[in-house]
Amino acid sequence: QVQLVESGGGLVQAGGSLRLSCADSGRTFRTSAMGWFRQAPGKDREFVAAITGNGAVTQYGDSVKGRFTISRDNAQNTVHLQMNRLKPEDTAVYYCAMDTYLNSYYRLRFRTSEYDYWGQGTQVTVSS
């Protein structure tokens, strides 16, 4: 019954910022790692960022390190991705995903096949 609802995508100029949000009303959210992935046309789905269920550990893909920040608010069942200094190569559909593996409360995983629930995706387009 997990349903992830994403928002915040849009069109932005290179160098600009966007903040993506993902919300879920289920009780599983608090204990589950959350990740952001993206997929550009003709490309495989790519890991962007993840955060453990307890919020203590984060990890980022090499291409976004230093520019993107993932955070979560378990009281609101939301996870966010703050994207700064956006580049045209960041253009993609961005997906929020949940890893329900028990240990994801403390530990992260990074492969698409390891995540159990996915949002509908939100388009991010960065113009040059």
Side-chain angles (χ1 to χ4, degrees), residues 4 7-8 11 16 20-21 26 30 42 54-55 63 72 76 87 89 92 96-97 102 114 119 123 127:
L4 305 178
S7 61
L11 175 65
L20 306 183
S21 298
R30 178 185 173 277
N54 65 5
S63 63
R72 68 188 299 154
Q76 297 292 326
K87 304 175 181 179
E89 51 262 45
C96 172
L102 178 63
E114 294 170 326
Q123 177 70 46
S127 63

Side-chain angles (χ1 to χ4, degrees), residues 28-41:
T28 306
F29 182 89
R30 178 185 173 277
T31 61
S32 300
M34 299 294 296
W36 288 95
F37 296 78
R38 67 187 184 186
Q39 188 165 21

